[in-house]
Amino acid sequence: MGDLKKLYFIYNPHSGREQIRTKLFDILQIFSAAGYELTVYPTRESQDAIEKIRNLPAGYDLVVCSGGDGTMDEVAEGMMQREEKIPIGYIPSGTVNDFARSLKIPRDMKKAARIAVEGRDFPCDMGTFNEEHFVYIAAFGIFTDVAYSTDQNMKNVLGHMAYLLEGVKRLANIPSYHIRFSSEELSEEGDFIFGMVTNSRSVGGFKSIIGRKVQFDDGVFEVTFIRNPRNPVELQEILGAIILKEIDSKYMYSFRTAKLLVEADGPIPWTLDGEYGGECSRAVIENHQKALMIRVGQ
């Protein structure tokens, strides 16, 4: 027999409802049956996965990660910091899993495990936000802090509803930010309550106001900015557009670009792939075409 292929499996044991516990044996069986020698590592703390993947010794043929979008994000960050890139399989186990849904990776963990070992390598765009990488979204403003400020137990019990309820609670006092955004395609200045730069068909579970023809390997992001409503009527119109998942050109800018500069009068809190991404008053956001290999279904 030839040498066994080597697979590094890294998972977040606390993701979602800790559902990986009951599926772990089946997942490992699938990997083993596919002819892989396995190394298994449960993450211990935030940022753990970045370091593990960045420092992974040579010789691995495949990395598979299981967890929510945050785990996937850390694995992708670690991989982007490596000289030698290895394909990544993804078994989603988080609450929302925008990225997996967008790439049509099934929620069924055993099916996702089979895709990880039998699927094809898809060269996926990656984003950089100043120095940091992100996989599918960088955003600020209304709704964006919901993902990381919603209590984990509440997330598990209520799923999507937790995001929505938390978001609606904020509508009474929406912060707005005075910003200038500039790209080759479009530049504007004004007061905005929301902005997102995305490489995904589904954000926060909304399959949404982002363009319908999203490609993950086209080298451009979909960008949406929502203006600050000046009165309750305008706010209702904006919310109506979001609920109907339509772009309302009176209040929204929507365009595609490979590189965007966002400048604000003061620091703005951003979210990157659903996790808190820090505050900054100047953000350079760039698309790196086909920078990462992700295993997807045939």
Side-chain angles (χ1 to χ4, degrees):
M1 273 183 69
D3 288 344
L4 281 174
K5 297 171 291 180
K6 289 178 73 176
L7 186 157
Y8 188 85
F9 181 47
I10 183 164
Y11 70 96
N12 177 352
H14 305 298
S15 178
R17 298 174 185 84
E18 301 193 356
Q19 56 189 339
I20 187 137
R21 282 185 184 182
T22 56
K23 302 286 195 311
L24 194 55
F25 179 75
D26 292 332
I27 290 169
L28 298 181
Q29 283 287 109
I30 289 165
F31 293 165
S32 186
Y36 283 96
E37 180 186 320
L38 307 178
T39 306
V40 180
Y41 180 79
T43 57
R44 298 193 178 115
E45 57 196 359
S46 174
Q47 309 290 301
D48 198 4
I50 299 177
E51 200 174 320
K52 284 287 168 199
I53 299 303
R54 182 178 58 223
N55 299 322
L56 200 61
Y60 283 95
D61 301 281
L62 179 64
V63 168
V64 181
C65 69
S66 183
D69 287 334
T71 306
M72 176 65 209
D73 193 51
E74 287 192 22
V75 168
E77 177 69 54
M79 193 63 75
M80 291 299 290
Q81 293 179 20
R82 290 175 65 84
E83 285 288 310
E84 176 212 8
K85 309 279 192 290
I86 307 166
I88 298 171
Y90 183 30
I91 302 174
S93 68
T95 318
V96 175
N97 297 112
D98 285 319
F99 186 65
R101 178 182 289 137
S102 298
L103 285 175
K104 298 193 169 67
I105 295 170
R107 284 195 68 111
D108 180 307
M109 295 178 87
K110 287 199 275 187
K111 285 183 184 164
R114 283 196 191 91
I115 284 176
V117 289
E118 296 166 7
R120 63 186 175 88
D121 290 340
F122 173 72
C124 188
D125 295 350
M126 281 289 285
T128 47
F129 178 91
N130 293 339
E131 299 302 307
E132 282 190 69
H133 291 92
F134 66 96
V135 182
Y136 70 93
I137 186 171
F140 70 85
I142 184 175
F143 297 130
T144 55
D145 63 342
V146 171
Y148 52 79
S149 67
T150 308
D151 178 87
Q152 184 64 43
N153 295 323
M154 187 178 163
K155 267 196 219 180
N156 293 345
V157 178
L158 295 171
H160 284 8
M161 284 309 294
Y163 291 91
L164 296 176
L165 291 171
E166 197 66 32
V168 170
K169 269 196 235 162
R170 279 148 218 267
L171 294 183
N173 50 354
I174 305 173
S176 74
Y177 302 97
H178 188 80
I179 63 166
R180 294 166 296 286
F181 65 83
S182 43
S183 70
E184 272 186 27
E185 293 74 8
L186 184 67
S187 301
E188 286 289 340
E189 180 168 356
D191 295 322
F192 294 90
I193 56 169
F194 175 79
M196 75 176 173
V197 180
T198 174
N199 197 27
S200 167
R201 285 189 176 86
S202 164
V203 174
F206 295 98
K207 275 200 179 85
S208 104
I209 49 180
I210 337 163
R212 294 204 167 35
K213 296 191 179 71
V214 179
Q215 303 287 320
F216 287 87
D217 56 356
D218 60 1
V220 292
F221 290 122
E222 284 65 39
V223 181
T224 301
F225 285 96
I226 302 180
R227 279 193 172 283
N228 188 32
R230 287 182 296 255
N231 54 55
V233 175
E234 287 191 0
L235 175 59
Q236 283 307 315
E237 285 186 19
I238 288 169
L239 287 175
I242 292 171
I243 290 161
L244 293 170
K245 303 180 165 99
E246 290 171 357
I247 298 292
D248 185 329
S249 55
K250 268 194 299 188
Y251 307 112
M252 300 182 187
Y253 294 102
S254 194
F255 59 99
R256 292 185 175 168
T257 187
K259 185 172 181 181
L260 181 72
L261 172 64
V262 181
E263 296 172 294
D265 293 349
I268 295 181
W270 285 78
T271 169
L272 302 178
D273 293 342
E275 305 285 324
Y276 181 56
E279 295 194 3
C280 64
S281 53
R282 186 177 192 275
V284 178
I285 304 168
E286 277 189 84
N287 187 302
H288 301 267
Q289 191 170 13
K290 300 184 178 180
L292 203 67
M293 296 295 250
I294 306 282
R295 280 281 161 95
V296 296
Q298 297 295 357

